[in-house]
Amino acid sequence: MRKYLPFAFAILAFALPFVLYLKTLAPTYIPIDAAEFTMCVHFWGVCHPPGFPLYIILGKIFTVLVPIETIVYRVNLFSAVFGALTILIIYLSLIRLNVDKFVALLIVLIFAVSSTFWEYSLAADVFTFGTFLVSLTIYFALLKQKIPAFFLLGLSASHFYITAILWPIFYWYLMRDRETKRQRDKVKEFFVYGFVFALGFFPQVIMFWRMQQNPEINWGHAKDIYSFWYYLRRQEFGSIFLIANPVLTFNPIKVYKHYVQYFIELFSSFGVVLPISILFSGIFLNLFKKREVLFLLLVFALILFVQLFLLGTIDPTGEDNPFAISKFYLATFVPIILLIGMSVNKLSQHFFEKENTYPVILLLLILGLYLLSNFKTHNYSKNWFTQNLVLDGLSSLPKNSLVITVDHPFYFGSLYEQKVNLKYMDLTLLYFPNEKNRDSQGYHPEVFNRVEDTRFVNKIKEGKTLGAAEEYVLSTISKNLDRPIYILQGSFEDNFFRYLKPYIEPYGLFWRVKADLSEIVDKQKIVSVFDNLKNKGFKKSDFMFRQQASEGVTYAISYHSTGALLGSLGDLDGARRMFFKSLAIDESIKSVRDELELIDKIKSTFAQKDKLIADKNDSKLSELGNDYFSIGDYRDAASVFEEAIKITQSSAQ
């Protein structure tokens, strides 16, 4: 029976996380990239740079071989499988490092239920797969299997370029016996293992070939080697940094904040005491003298340094940070977990004479605490919010509409509804992710190969200075004014599309572009768009998932803009109802509270209007007129000002 125990523990290392992930798996696409990766896998397409071709190829094979549920569910399941496989490989690495099997199992399970790793094992994304590649590469290095280790390092680098920097460390660690060889043999080895490493980039070759087939999803539309090289280097995003543009610039202070954020995440993910055990056993028990430990420390330090440097254009604590930064830390956690396992094992041997009861009890307590505290926030099994957002938006639009968005989850979610669920096929979707991307022209040349309405463009641009992205979107809109055009609302969009006012008016979750300002507003129709929403009765604070909290703000902004429109039309009660709906979602929006106070003030003053006229109180009437003007109700403002002028002619100014 005892001889089967190691196999039983290995099975548990995979099965326990997998069952947990299966229980809490997202049934549909959730932010931020799940819909995009689902579409790329389904159509064997090309994702945003660097493309993640190995993930896409294996995902395609997996979804064909596992024909259950929906496509998006299968791709979500693909993440869960590789999440559980990562836990298994790290467990086997700990056993290879002679860590007690009970200790090893509990440590990897703690990682399995840690917040970030659990989250990215529940939906389509590349991070559990990337962590799997890193862990498998390190495992074969620990086994001293040189050819597989260097090949897997190449595969890992083809997925996340950053791991390519580990080549010298792997060469140093795996070539420990090179002193006994002739110089010619050393040179030969160097080139052989370099060649094996390069072979790991074969998925990029397949991706280039696939780009030429023009799949349904073809980010970049690279047609030659030069444009493919441009794509691989992520030049669309600016530079070597994750994001680089005139707004997001590199700053050493941001790098410092990333280090602070990283170590907060590290200690909070492993119960504080486990990372500290590495320092204690390394300094006081000479753990750092072991070659394996030095290898793991170098892997950890190099990935961490380069990764946080490349994130140095983003403030991890900023409100405008578009990312869940912690996902970029996962690769560094692999060597940390192995070091934790060796440290706990060393401490157990030193203080408890190889009796592991007390360490096991401590690890069980940490495991139980994380499992209970994270289960509620990471149970995505009933999370339909993002898909409902897409359905709420698209179902409200008339046929033949041109739909413009800069929102990543909404665009790819909409594509999923069109191309997989075969809904809303009469809508044309345009996505403008940044000022350099022109993919929409590749998908919909008929939209862009039309004549620009220069009169409309000049009216919009009068007195304004527009950026390249704004100019591009404006030109596209002007070419298609014979169609209904709708722009998805959002916090970023509220600023980006401000140049289009007053040629846009709210329509549900969208703005509707109107070329004719004399067009009469159908107030009843605009309000009725909100009648059949799927997402109702939620608050921004309900969401632990940061990106979905941002999606919730889309509803708050839409209610707010509709309320502002109703206020400008003189419907103060309708405006109040919309403002209250906006505040019910996000009570922190100060501008909505200010407008509510202004409307209440207008209503209160208007109730005294006849008395103010009788008392000839022109100052109070002028104040009322100014308040009407502030909410955009120019008709009522003019009416009140006329009464004020009758009292005091000088008020005409």
Side-chain angles (χ1 to χ4, degrees), residues 231-250:
Y231 169 88
L232 287 180
R233 290 183 298 155
R234 303 176 67 256
Q235 288 297 103
E236 176 184 320
F237 300 119
S239 73
I240 62 170
F241 296 105
L242 182 66
I243 294 289
N245 58 41
V247 177
L248 298 174
T249 56
F250 176 82

Side-chain angles (χ1 to χ4, degrees), residues 500-554:
L500 285 171
K501 294 180 179 181
Y503 291 90
I504 53 175
E505 68 179 21
Y507 183 89
L509 302 181
F510 295 89
W511 288 296
R512 183 175 72 91
V513 177
K514 55 177 189 176
D516 183 5
L517 292 180
S518 65
E519 181 184 337
I520 297 174
V521 177
D522 189 341
K523 184 175 69 175
Q524 187 60 41
K525 186 175 183 180
I526 288 173
V527 173
S528 67
V529 174
F530 293 102
D531 289 344
N532 299 309
L533 296 180
K534 293 178 177 293
N535 286 331
K536 288 183 177 180
F538 65 90
K539 296 181 179 180
K540 180 183 176 184
S541 57
D542 293 338
F543 298 107
M544 298 297 176
F545 203 7
R546 178 172 181 168
Q547 281 78 15
Q548 286 194 318
S550 298
E551 290 178 341
V553 173
T554 293

Side-chain angles (χ1 to χ4, degrees), residues 209-242:
W209 170 81
R210 185 58 181 157
M211 278 181 167
Q212 312 316 304
Q213 314 306 308
N214 198 25
E216 289 282 348
I217 309 299
N218 190 12
W219 196 297
H221 287 82
K223 294 297 184 185
D224 51 43
I225 294 296
Y226 175 79
S227 54
F228 182 61
W229 180 238
Y230 177 93
Y231 169 88
L232 287 180
R233 290 183 298 155
R234 303 176 67 256
Q235 288 297 103
E236 176 184 320
F237 300 119
S239 73
I240 62 170
F241 296 105
L242 182 66

Side-chain angles (χ1 to χ4, degrees), residues 25 210 265 268 288 329 382 400 436 485 497 511 620:
L25 194 70
R210 185 58 181 157
E265 179 77 17
S268 63
F288 291 163
Y329 303 158
K382 296 180 181 178
N400 195 39
K436 295 181 181 179
I485 302 176
F497 291 104
W511 288 296
K620 202 71 175 172

